[in-house]
Amino acid sequence: MKIIYLTIAAGVLVLTAWNLWTEKDWRKQATAAMVAVPLLLRVLLIK
Amino acid sequence: MQKHHISAVIISILMLAACVVAGVTFLEHRKVEPIVRGPGVTEIVKLSKWYPGLEGTAADTDVYIFKGEAPGGSMLVLGGTHPNEPSGFLSAVLLIENATMASGTLYVIPRANNSGFSHNDPQEGAPTGYHFTLSDGSTRFFRYGSRATNPIHQWPDPDVYVHAASGQTLSGNETRNLNRGYPGRTDGTLTEKACYGITQMILAEKIGLSVDLHEASPEYPVINAIVAHERAMPVASQVVLGLEFSDITIGLEPSPKNLRGLTHRELGDATDTLAVLMETANPSQGRLRGRTDEALALEGKDLYYIKAQQLGRLYVPFDEKGHSIEERVGRHLSALIEFAFAMSSEYPDQPIEINGIPAYDELQQAGLGAYLRPLQ
Ligand SMILES: [Zn+2]
C-alpha cells in the first residue's frame, strides 16, 4: 500500500514540476513550487 | 531560453533550498537523545527479543530491566506511549537514571512508541524539545514527539481505523496510536506489531503489574487519575488512599469494557497482568492553550487555561502556578512507589521494592534537572 501511495506522490510531483516549467505566469510557477515541497519531502521519505 | 524558463529555474532553486532547510530539521528530529544507565539497571534489551518481527524497524525500542537484589514480583512501566506527553517519558527516564530494586523486577520502556519520537504533530506549533539544567551546570535535551507513529514508518492511514480484535471503529489517524492497537497482531500495521511485542513481553515475563504513563489536556475529563482494569481495582484503590496520605489527590476510574485497544483494557484481558493507566495535566497538548513553547511544556503556565478554569471548564484546578513538569513527574513517580507498596501488601510473597526515586517534595524543591545524570 505504501509503495502505491509513494508512486502516486512521485507522479504528482512530476506533473507539478512539469507545470512549473511550462507555466508562463511566475506567480503560478511559485504556487507549483510550494506544492512540490511536501511532495518531494514525502517521496524522499523525509517527512 | 524563454523568460518563463528563467523564472522557473530561479523558483526551483528557491524550492530546493526550502526542501533542504525543512529536510535537515525533520531529519534532526530522528536523533535519539541518550538516557544514562543508572545504578539499578541490570540489562538493556530490545523489545524485538519478545517479538523478532520488530527487529530493525522504527518500532523496536529499548527495554531497561532492573533485577532486584531479592526475588519478588514484577512491574512494567510504559513511558512515551504518546511522545507528546513529556511527564510519562520523563518519569521513565528518572526511573532509569535513579531507581534501584531491593526486591522484585522492574521493566521500563521509556519510548513505547519509538517511531512517535522521530517527528512531531503538524500544525500544533509544538516545541522541538525541552532542556534541563543539571546540578553540575550541564544541560540535557529531550525531544517533544508526536502522539502517533511517524507516517514515514506507517503510511497511508485508512479513512476508518478498525480495531482488529473487536471490530471497533475509530477515526483513521488512530491507526498510528499505540494506545488503540493492543493487544496487537503480527500481520497488522507497525503500530499493532509494537503492541504485540509489548503484550508478548508481559506474557513471557509474567509481569504482575503494568502501568502506562500519560498526560492529558486540562479540559479532558479523565485527568489526575488512574484508569484501572477491573482486576487491578483493589491495588489501584490502595494507591489512591496512599497518595491521599501524601496530599496528592488522584481519581480512580474503571476501565470501560467497550473502549478497546487501550492498555488498561487489552493488557488486562489478554494477559494476567494488572493493567492501569495514569494521567497528569499537560496544558501544552490542550486545545485552549496560548503560545506553545518549551516553557509551556515545562512550567505548564497558561493565561487561557486560567480563564477556562474561572469559567468552570476544566477538570483540574488551574491557577497562575500552572502544572509544572516537576509536579506532573512527581505525581507519576509517587504513584509508582505506591503501586509497588500496594502490590507487596496484596501479594506478600512477591514483594516489589523500588528505591532511589526522588520524593514528590524533593522534586519540587530541587527541580527535575537535579535528578538527571550528566552525559559523559
Ligand atoms: Zn496519552
Side-chain angles (χ1 to χ4, degrees), chain A residues 1-2 5-6 9 13 20-27 29-30 33-34 36-38 40-42 45-47, chain B residues 1-2 4-5 7-9 11-12 15-16 18-19 22-23 26-27 30 119-120 122 151-156:
Chain A
M1 200 60 169
K2 184 171 173 176
Y5 271 66
L6 277 175
L13 178 62
L20 201 163
W21 185 248
T22 53
E23 178 58 55
K24 299 220 161 42
D25 182 347
W26 70 270
R27 281 161 296 201
Q29 285 179 328
M34 286 188 274
V37 171
L40 186 60
L41 290 173
R42 179 52 57 98
L45 290 179
I46 292 173
K47 178 66 185 177
Chain B
M1 209 180 203
Q2 292 178 357
H4 73 273
H5 285 156
S7 60
V9 169
I11 287 171
S12 296
M15 183 266 282
L16 289 173
C19 283
F26 291 135
L27 289 176
R30 294 188 199 174
H119 70 138
N120 60 17
I152 291 298
H153 303 136
Q154 183 182 316
W155 190 55

Side-chain angles (χ1 to χ4, degrees), chain B residues 345-357:
Chain B
S345 63
E346 195 84 357
Y347 308 97
D349 54 328
Q350 293 179 335
I352 304 173
E353 196 187 332
I354 313 175
N355 293 322
I357 307 181

Side-chain angles (χ1 to χ4, degrees), chain B residues 81-85 147 177 179-180 212-216 277-279 285:
Chain B
T81 288
H82 292 146
N84 63 333
E85 298 169 6
R147 180 175 170 81
N177 182 349
N179 204 25
R180 296 296 181 276
D212 187 14
L213 302 180
H214 286 255
E215 298 206 78
L277 178 150
M278 292 197 291
E279 300 274 8
Q285 65 179 125

Side-chain angles (χ1 to χ4, degrees), chain B residues 123-241:
Chain B
Q123 299 174 3
E124 288 289 334
T128 314
Y130 37 83
H131 297 78
F132 294 100
T133 305
L134 278 54
S135 323
D136 69 348
S138 65
T139 55
R140 294 273 301 272
F141 172 78
F142 297 102
R143 259 160 228 293
Y144 192 100
S146 159
R147 180 175 170 81
T149 303
N150 192 333
I152 291 298
H153 303 136
Q154 183 182 316
W155 190 55
D157 288 345
D159 289 337
V160 175
Y161 166 55
V162 181
H163 177 245
S166 66
Q168 165 189 269
T169 52
L170 290 168
S171 137
N173 59 349
E174 298 284 13
T175 310
R176 288 180 288 113
N177 182 349
L178 189 75
N179 204 25
R180 296 296 181 276
Y182 289 96
R185 54 178 174 158
T186 51
D187 57 348
T189 62
L190 187 66
T191 308
E192 289 174 306
K193 288 176 183 171
C195 293
Y196 183 80
I198 292 169
T199 308
Q200 290 308 304
M201 176 188 157
I202 294 170
L203 286 170
E205 304 303 321
K206 300 185 172 65
I207 295 174
L209 171 73
S210 301
V211 188
D212 187 14
L213 302 180
H214 286 255
E215 298 206 78
S217 47
E219 69 272 26
Y220 185 67
V222 181
I223 199 153
N224 280 352
I226 301 172
V227 186
H229 188 268
E230 50 275 14
R231 284 189 296 105
M233 270 296 177
V235 166
S237 338
Q238 274 197 55
V239 171
V240 171
L241 287 176

